[in-house]
Amino acid sequence: MKTVVVAGGAGFIGSHLCEFLLKKGEKVICIDDLSTGDKKNIEPLMNNGNFVFMQQDITEPFSLRDDVAQVFNLASPASPIDYQKKPIKTLMVGAMGTKNCLDLAKNKNASFLQASTSEIYGDPLEHPQVESYWGNVNPIGVRSCYDEAKRFGEALVMAYRRKFNLDTKIARIFNTYGPRMRYDDGRVVPNLIFQALNKKPLTVYGNGEQTRSFCYVSDMVEGLTALMNSSTNEPVNLGNPNEMTIAEFANKVIELTGIDSKIENKPLPEDDPLKRKPNISKAKELLGWEPKIVLDVGLQKTIDWFASIKK
Ligand code: UDP
């Protein structure tokens, strides 16, 4: 049995990762300050003797007594609404938070995985996005607090790797969805499902021609663990290359909920990337990983979950 630390373990992807690791028989220490995560996400894990929850802001120094084999750093506000509400905190989480987690891995001689993001490509001029692309980020725009925090995070990880020979991994996570997304985090998946279930119009920003590619959370968790357990230290894109326009996505929500809501167009937010689709050749080749859950199946599970917690 290994001890694995998951920073951000009470969040959406983090809580699924904790559950997956426990099922594999690992001991899990979940660190979260519950600022955007939710204790409800980990409530079912609390009775498991191999699960420890530590309420801790990772921008503050912390230490652990246990031996640790792996550190996953998923702690950060991650939805555009959340990070734009807390821009300074988001920058500090990417900087000091990542440093504190890297120091933990260094002190414990543990492997370290940084949850990075497709946002480091900004509004991409290359499509689909390959890991070798350096991106097109507005460094002073409203999304820069997140994009630059995550770019700084990658730079810090590489500095620890070069300076201390730490075993580091960088996962560039593309849009991920599934149960336990916060209904009010402002992202397109919870917004549109929640609106449909409440028989409200679906808000499509701009003309809806911008694209995203949505990956179901169980596929993402498998990708993250495959990367952590691999020997690669290069950044790897993790996501589902099934690209669609937001208008198509809205129609899919209408079809699967069976609720004939209208579409209401709203202004496109500043610096909203027009296109996003991962090239996942590297993940396929190096990790033998690719997503398995098609959108209709994953979205139906997500809709059913939102219906079960309906507010
Ligand atoms: N979006 C939308 N309606 C909403 C929320 C988001 O049309 O109610 C759009 C948003 O403008 C973006 C895409 O959906 O083009 C994905 O947005 P999200 O906030 O989920 O995450 P992002 O991929 O931009 O980080």
Side-chain angles (χ1 to χ4, degrees):
M1 182 194 283
K2 299 197 284 283
T3 298
V4 181
V5 169
V6 181
F12 158 51
I13 300 179
S15 64
H16 284 277
L17 177 61
C18 290
E19 200 180 328
F20 181 88
L21 292 167
L22 288 169
K23 276 195 192 135
K24 290 250 169 222
E26 315 293 12
K27 177 171 179 198
V28 175
I29 302 176
C30 164
I31 301 178
D32 206 300
D33 71 348
L34 302 178
S35 56
T36 54
D38 191 336
K39 219 164 176 185
K40 271 199 216 109
N41 290 338
I42 50 168
E43 221 138 60
L45 312 181
M46 288 295 197
N47 296 328
N48 189 319
N50 290 329
F51 183 75
V52 177
F53 172 64
M54 185 171 150
Q55 186 162 350
Q56 169 72 43
D57 175 349
I58 59 160
T59 65
E60 304 293 338
F62 62 92
S63 59
L64 297 176
R65 258 181 277 142
D66 312 60
D67 286 336
V68 173
Q70 298 181 332
V71 177
F72 286 85
N73 179 25
L74 279 76
S76 175
S79 85
I81 289 213
D82 285 344
Y83 61 68
Q84 286 172 41
K85 253 190 238 158
K86 299 179 181 174
I88 297 162
K89 189 74 198 180
T90 301
L91 282 156
M92 294 318 291
V93 169
M96 285 314 297
T98 302
K99 180 177 186 297
N100 287 333
C101 290
L102 280 162
D103 283 334
L104 173 71
K106 179 172 160 269
N107 293 337
K108 302 288 183 185
N109 203 15
S111 299
F112 178 90
L113 183 143
Q114 173 75 349
S116 191
T117 166
S118 54
E119 280 283 326
I120 65 108
Y121 300 120
D123 190 5
L125 303 176
E126 267 185 33
H127 192 73
Q129 291 77 57
V130 186
E131 290 87 345
S132 54
Y133 178 49
W134 290 356
N136 177 40
V137 171
N138 175 354
I140 55 166
V142 290
R143 293 172 89 112
S144 64
C145 57
Y146 184 65
D147 300 10
E148 298 294 6
K150 288 292 185 181
R151 289 175 70 98
F152 181 88
E154 289 199 10
L156 197 60
V157 168
M158 292 311 293
Y160 268 68
R161 170 151 189 77
R162 293 191 180 106
K163 191 104 183 133
F164 305 117
N165 204 22
L166 195 67
D167 179 30
T168 58
K169 329 278 176 186
I170 295 173
R172 292 187 179 153
I173 299 177
F174 283 64
N175 293 66
T176 302
Y177 72 98
R180 301 194 202 135
M181 294 189 92
R182 237 180 47 232
Y183 79 97
D184 61 350
D185 84 354
R187 285 190 271 204
V188 71
V189 175
N191 266 14
L192 269 49
I193 293 177
F194 191 67
Q195 289 158 352
L197 293 177
N198 285 291
K199 302 191 168 55
K200 301 243 170 74
L202 306 195
T203 53
V204 168
Y205 301 160
N207 59 11
E209 287 304 303
Q210 71 274 31
T211 69
R212 293 295 185 273
S213 313
F214 297 102
C215 182
Y216 190 65
V217 66
S218 60
D219 283 331
M220 182 53 62
V221 164
E222 284 177 15
L224 289 169
T225 48
L227 177 57
M228 177 61 108
N229 294 322
S230 76
S231 56
T232 187
N233 301 111
E234 298 168 24
V236 178
N237 287 341
L238 294 178
N240 192 319
N242 175 28
E243 183 185 14
M244 60 174 52
T245 67
I246 294 301
E248 285 167 342
F249 179 74
N251 284 316
K252 189 48 96 184
V253 171
I254 291 173
E255 179 195 321
L256 293 183
T257 54
I259 293 167
D260 194 16
S261 285
K262 283 202 298 283
I263 290 194
E264 184 178 286
N265 289 94
K266 294 226 169 171
L268 190 68
E270 210 179 310
D271 290 337
D272 198 293
L274 285 181
K275 283 183 185 179
R276 185 181 289 158
K277 169 183 173 161
N279 175 317
I280 58 163
S281 307
K282 211 164 158 184
K284 280 189 192 165
E285 190 188 314
L286 297 177
L287 315 178
W289 173 89
E290 64 182 311
K292 297 189 280 249
I293 310 288
V294 296
L295 185 72
D296 280 48
V297 172
L299 199 51
Q300 191 63 61
K301 286 185 194 211
T302 311
I303 291 167
D304 293 346
W305 182 79
F306 271 101
S308 76
I309 60 139
K310 199 169 167 205
K311 306 251 174 208

